[in-house]
Amino acid sequence: MEPANGNLEIFAALVIFILLIGVSWEKSAGILEKRLTAMVACHMAVLLLDAARWLLYQRTDLNVLLIFLSVAPTVLALLGNSIFLCFTVDFLSQRGPIPRKATIPMVFLFVFAIITWTIFILLNGVHSAANMQTNYDAMQYSWGYWIGHFGWAAACVIGLGILWHYRQGLHRKELLSLSSYCAFPLVALVLRFFWDGPQIFLSTSLALIWIYAVVQRDQRQRLQAQENQLTHTANC
């Protein structure tokens, strides 16, 4: 199962790499496109690092490396969530006023999740990252694992609350796509009780693809509106 999970994430990383090329090739990239590029690049690194962890899982001679591979993907994923927070604020700001202080709880929760997750792995990393006596099972993790995920999950819930509170200026597809970045991983976290695999990171990949499609659509409409305005001005 472990090699299969790793191969699945490598395939997802290839898809995200194609997405990254599409985002980075935008000639008129604005702040939203730049933040989206950072999110996609960060997530591709997450997938590759986590794939390496799955593929090297039984190498007990690489405990230090496995501990690093257990910490790094989650910390990078939380960093990606922080970039998404900035992306969301900028996106909502184009539709209407949004107070920056509304996102402060999310920032604190992301920092809390990074700290608790890192401490947990450092204290319990050898047993959880490279234990050949038992299968890699999230249910065997101690309280540190779940506390770290609690901060991240709470930040996702707050993110959903912010999106729905300031949804007045968003189209339905925009609201759903942005919400997916928080909602999909939350559903995947519940599924982790029944299947220990890369479902959380894979769900984020799906959300990024959806967000990219919406941002591209928004950019095309904005450029078309500018062209129509220039044409109307020239005719007048």
Side-chain angles (χ1 to χ4, degrees), residues 32 36 39 81 83-93 95 106 156 159-164 166-167 169-185 204 206-215:
L32 289 178
L36 182 58
M39 288 164 55
N81 289 345
I83 300 173
F84 171 74
L85 172 61
C86 299
F87 174 88
T88 302
V89 170
D90 291 330
F91 199 96
L92 292 172
S93 298
R95 304 297 192 276
M106 289 181 68
C156 289
L160 287 172
I162 292 174
L163 280 170
W164 284 85
Y166 296 101
R167 68 184 184 277
L170 296 177
H171 300 299
R172 182 170 175 270
K173 290 182 179 180
E174 294 173 339
L175 177 61
L176 291 177
S177 64
L178 291 173
S179 298
S180 70
Y181 194 88
C182 295
F184 284 2
T204 303
L206 294 176
L208 280 174
I209 294 172
W210 193 359
I211 291 173
Y212 171 74
V214 170
V215 170

